């Protein structure tokens, strides 16, 4: 069966950046399982997997626009240290959920200087070209319930 709209796909992957550094991998774990066409994975990778079958291996290069987007400078802000009430030690790399006009946003602390903390609301992989080495483990038709819910149920998926 070929990967198409409403297929349940399980695949192994290794994700690297343009410098060849491994950013993520399913090695030693269960394959990643998703519902094709439901926006469960980044658009560029989903497009590359379309039409593949179990056993296929491929290398996919995904541009920032088809991945986690371009880095947006307006999502990098300096905020006062006292905005982190209840947190004794704010350090680079820490993540917090900020309340914005557009709703909640995950931010990462990138710098702390005195009473000023710089936070970045961009996804950590925004602006990066993503290189995936993929092996398709299995492809099956989604159940009606999976299609209605927009995600995979059962093994490798979501339990209700």
């Amino acid at each position: 069966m070929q990967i198409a709209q409403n297929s349940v796909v399980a695949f192994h992957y290794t994700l690297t950046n343009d410098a060849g550094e491994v950013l993520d991998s399913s090695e030693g774990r269960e394959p990643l399982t998703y519902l094709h066409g439901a926006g469960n994975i980044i658009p560029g990778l989903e497009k590359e997997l379309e039409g593949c079958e179990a056993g296929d291996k491929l290398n996919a290069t995904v541009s920032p626009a088809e991945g986690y987007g371009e880095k947006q400078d307006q999502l990098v802000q300096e905020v006062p240290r006292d905005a982190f009430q209840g947190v004794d030690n704010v350090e680079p790399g820490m993540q917090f959920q900020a309340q914005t006009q557009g709703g909640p946003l995950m931010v990462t602390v990138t710098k702390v200087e005195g009473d000023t903390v710089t936070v970045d609301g961009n996804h950590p992989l925004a602006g990066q070209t993503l290189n995936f080495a993929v092996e398709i483990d299995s492809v099956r038709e989604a159940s009606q319930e999976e299609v209605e819910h927009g995600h995979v149920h059962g093994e490798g998926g979501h339990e209700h």
Side-chain angles (χ1 to χ4, degrees), residues 25 69 73 156:
S25 177
D73 292 338

Side-chain angles (χ1 to χ4, degrees), residues 83-84 87 94-100 103-109 119-121:
F84 298 87
V87 181
M94 295 176 102
Q95 292 188 314
F96 296 91
Q97 183 171 310
Q99 297 304 321
T100 70
L105 175 69
M106 285 301 296
V107 297
T108 303
V109 174
V119 295
D120 187 345

Side-chain angles (χ1 to χ4, degrees), residues 114-130:
D115 289 336
T116 303
V117 178
T118 304
V119 295
D120 187 345
N122 287 290
H123 186 282
L125 298 178
Q128 293 190 44
T129 298
L130 307 173

